[in-house]
Amino acid sequence: LGTAPAAAPEDEPEMAAASQFAAIPFAALSGQVPLPVHGQIVARFGQDDDVGGRLGGDIVKTHSGAIVTAPSDASVLYAGPFRSYGQLLILNAGEGYHLVLAGMSRISVRLGQSVVAGEPIGAMGEARVASIATSGDEESGPELYVEFRKEGKPVDPAPWWADRNSVRAGNDT
């Protein structure tokens, strides 16, 4: 009898997250989405990808072992290895929006799981062994690829990113 009431509060946060997911459309998060990993955007949507195409997302250079967090409330559509991209996640953010994150060494969520914005979902690996950069760890750190898609087509994520300078002073020094 004493355990039944204790179970109800544990269920409430899940229900609240589900209702928040429906109540705040991804499109309304413009200017509010933090980068999913601590780092610096080194390549942007639409730039040449060095193999004859254009980037469909942004590339964030980070550090070895960096924790990757969910950019928004979503559900996991795919979690696992994909070609040479390392571990890849596809998140359903609702209303036709999907978030693709690639380049992690470890994923800590599973298919079908609901995640909330800021929740840890994976981790980056070690710095690239192939890198021959001489100016320190920043140059050889791992990179996270982040792509936002609407109805299956890549869209520029820049309008969604929160102003990093107001949160993390001194990143660009």
Side-chain angles (χ1 to χ4, degrees):
L1 184 66
T3 58
E10 291 175 11
D11 292 339
E12 287 174 13
E14 289 179 17
M15 292 178 3
S19 64
Q20 180 182 7
F21 178 79
I24 302 173
F26 185 74
L29 295 176
S30 181
Q32 300 177 47
V33 177
L35 289 178
V37 68
H38 180 73
Q40 180 178 1
I41 297 174
V42 295
R44 294 202 176 264
F45 175 88
Q47 289 182 333
D48 290 336
D49 66 4
D50 296 330
V51 291
R54 301 242 178 239
L55 286 175
D58 289 347
I59 297 175
V60 182
K61 186 169 288 290
T62 187
H63 63 276
S64 298
I67 300 300
V68 179
T69 59
S72 72
D73 296 351
S75 62
V76 178
L77 290 180
Y78 179 84
F82 185 74
R83 298 182 187 165
S84 64
Y85 299 103
Q87 296 293 314
L88 180 125
L89 274 174
I90 301 175
L91 304 174
N92 179 0
E95 297 190 324
Y97 285 97
H98 294 95
L99 314 176
V100 179
L101 297 99
M104 295 167 282
S105 67
R106 180 177 52 83
I107 292 175
S108 56
V109 294
R110 66 188 181 285
L111 185 66
Q113 180 177 340
S114 291
V115 296
V116 295
E119 179 178 343
I121 57 176
M124 301 302 293
E126 297 299 314
R128 290 190 211 174
V129 175
S131 176
I132 57 171
T134 59
S135 59
D137 289 348
E138 282 183 11
E139 295 299 318
S140 61
E143 295 176 338
L144 180 70
Y145 176 77
V146 184
E147 182 176 295
F148 292 180
R149 298 177 77 81
K150 171 69 172 164
E151 304 299 338
K153 295 182 177 142
V155 295
D156 187 355
W160 276 274
W161 295 135
D163 180 13
R164 294 186 336 241
N165 294 329
S166 66
V167 178
R168 296 183 182 128
N171 262 358
D172 299 324
T173 59

